Amino acid sequence: RERFKQWHTLSSLSWSHCPPAAGSTQPEARSTHGAAAVSADRAYVFGSSSGQGDLGDLWMLRCDSAATGTASWELVAPTSEHNPTALVMATLSPVS
């Protein structure tokens, strides 16, 4: 499962390895999740199936390959009392 925790960024048609910072919090391994890149250094991952069942969590990945060469994950908490429904094969689309 470690091979699925590798992240790369594409900048100026060149791939850069952007591993998670040592000791950082990370989402559990998952499949059939929704994901969207919203900028050159930020992407979101939502929902999926895991070994624990269906998930309804939203994670943000920041990849600061230029400054530190590492990535960090942040669990995005809902701003209301309504949590997202657990979804498998969700679609995320960046909106500007």
Side-chain angles (χ1 to χ4, degrees):
R1 294 205 183 241
E2 281 302 311
R3 68 182 179 166
F4 297 112
K5 292 185 177 180
Q6 295 183 19
W7 292 90
H8 294 77
T9 59
L10 177 62
S11 176
S12 302
L13 300 179
S14 174
W15 287 99
S16 300
H17 186 229
C18 192
S24 65
T25 302
Q26 299 176 42
E28 62 184 284
R30 57 190 64 210
S31 63
T32 63
H33 55 276
V38 296
S39 68
D41 66 346
R42 195 174 52 184
Y44 289 89
V45 174
F46 174 75
S48 73
S49 291
S50 75
Q52 306 300 317
D54 293 345
L55 301 170
D57 54 352
L58 177 65
W59 288 84
M60 179 179 59
L61 174 68
R62 286 185 193 269
C63 189
D64 189 10
S65 59
T68 64
T70 60
S72 62
W73 284 100
E74 178 183 333
L75 179 61
V76 179
T79 57
S80 72
E81 72 264 9
H82 305 289
N83 289 328
T85 303
L87 292 174
V88 176
M89 299 177 69
T91 301
L92 297 182
S93 299
V95 178
S96 56

